[in-house]
């Protein structure tokens, strides 16, 4: 898996002729970049930072890569930031029983990094979507400075035999900071995937833009 960097040209367009890539061992699900200098390396010097989330078998992780502010983004200069979460990676809650937490969106600025997550309980058939704010120096998942509930607890499967059923699947797909305001986008799909065999499958999708904080 690769993350590619396209250089910004003087005219405001991007140079797509020679992208610079770095290879990652895991598929990135969301990325965010901070070039404010708020992230420091082991020598307390400001660096550029890229956050990316990915899923392992039993939890979500965030990896942080850094490179010197006057260097190019490449596999030779990108390194895991010293001290980030102690080992270069930041792990979410491990799946316990039927509880699952997944990181689906990221944003970052000089004030910290922001994590959009879906918490799902497969026993109660309910989910919640939150955004957590962390300092760049955060050491673990429980060190969030604040949490905002974007989508309150919602039932995602209320199937009962003989009933018409639409099961919503929803997550936050993007976070973006503009003029100091954090925005997010959620997408929801409704499917009647539990209807009797032989009946047409039906689905509908919708989305929302959120002004979060």
């Amino acid at each position: 898996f690769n993350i590619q960097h396209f250089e910004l040209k003087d005219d405001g367009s991007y140079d797509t002729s020679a992208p610079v890539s770095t290879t990652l061992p895991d598929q990135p699900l969301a990325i965010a970049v901070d070039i404010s200098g708020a992230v420091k390396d082991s020598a307390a010097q400001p660096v550029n930072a890229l956050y990316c989330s990915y899923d392992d078998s039993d939890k979500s992780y965030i990896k942080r890569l850094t490179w010197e502010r006057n260097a190019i983004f490449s596999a030779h200069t990108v390194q895991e930031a010293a001290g980030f979460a102690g080992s270069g990676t930041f792990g979410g809650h491990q799946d316990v029983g039927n509880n699952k937490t997944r990181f689906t969106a990221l944003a970052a600025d000089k004030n910290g990094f922001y994590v959009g997550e879906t918490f799902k309980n497969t026993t109660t058939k309910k989910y919640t979507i939150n955004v957590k704010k962390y300092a760049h120096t955060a050491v673990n998942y429980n060190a969030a400075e604040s949490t905002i509930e974007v989508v309150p607890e919602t039932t995602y499967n209320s199937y009962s035999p003989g009933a018409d059923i639409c099961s919503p699947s929803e997550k936050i797909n993007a976070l973006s900071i503009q003029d100091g305001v954090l925005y997010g986008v959620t997408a929801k799909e409704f499917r009647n995937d539990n209807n009797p065999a032989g009946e047409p499958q039906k689905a509908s999708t919708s989305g929302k833009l959120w002004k979060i904080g």
Side-chain angles (χ1 to χ4, degrees):
F1 302 102
N2 291 314
I3 292 178
Q4 293 187 326
H5 171 262
F6 298 91
E7 191 73 23
L8 183 65
K9 297 191 295 185
D10 292 339
D11 63 3
S13 64
Y14 291 94
D15 182 2
T16 59
S17 62
V20 179
S21 300
T22 185
T23 301
L24 298 174
D26 302 284
Q27 181 179 5
L29 301 179
I31 64 173
V33 176
D34 176 61
I35 58 172
S36 68
V39 178
K40 304 297 192 296
D41 62 14
S42 57
Q45 296 300 308
V47 290
N48 297 324
L50 182 146
Y51 293 89
C52 62
S53 66
Y54 62 94
D55 287 344
D56 202 351
S57 59
D58 62 351
K59 69 171 68 173
S60 279
Y61 287 90
I62 297 172
K63 183 186 293 289
R64 187 171 78 189
L65 308 175
T66 65
W67 66 103
E68 294 181 7
R69 302 189 75 185
N70 60 350
I72 63 170
F73 178 78
S74 73
H76 300 291
T77 59
V78 177
Q79 298 178 346
E80 293 181 2
F84 178 63
S87 62
T89 56
F90 177 101
H93 273 319
Q94 184 171 345
D95 296 344
V96 177
N98 295 298
N99 295 329
K100 302 179 185 298
T101 302
R102 291 296 182 263
F103 302 150
T104 60
L106 297 173
D109 68 1
K110 64 181 181 180
N111 298 307
F113 65 98
Y114 306 80
V115 182
E117 64 175 26
T118 299
F119 171 77
K120 181 181 288 188
N121 185 310
T122 58
T123 297
T124 64
K125 306 298 183 183
K126 295 181 178 181
Y127 68 89
T128 305
I129 296 176
N130 298 314
V131 172
K132 295 180 180 291
K133 176 184 182 293
Y134 293 89
H136 288 295
T137 54
V139 294
N140 59 51
Y141 174 80
N142 296 319
E145 294 183 343
S146 60
T147 300
I148 293 179
E149 185 181 74
V150 178
V151 177
E153 189 175 66
T154 301
T155 300
Y156 71 86
N157 192 321
S158 58
Y159 174 71
S160 60
D164 292 332
I165 168 66
C166 280
S167 302
S169 173
E170 186 174 16
K171 66 179 181 179
I172 187 164
N173 293 319
L175 291 171
S176 180
I177 302 166
Q178 299 293 329
D179 298 325
V181 179
L182 179 65
Y183 296 91
V185 174
T186 57
K188 178 188 288 187
E189 180 184 41
F190 282 90
R191 298 175 303 174
N192 64 337
D193 48 4
N194 287 313
N195 63 351
E199 290 192 6
Q201 298 295 303
K202 301 176 182 178
S204 65
T205 58
S206 62
K208 291 182 180 180
L209 172 66
W210 302 81
K211 185 177 181 181
I212 297 172

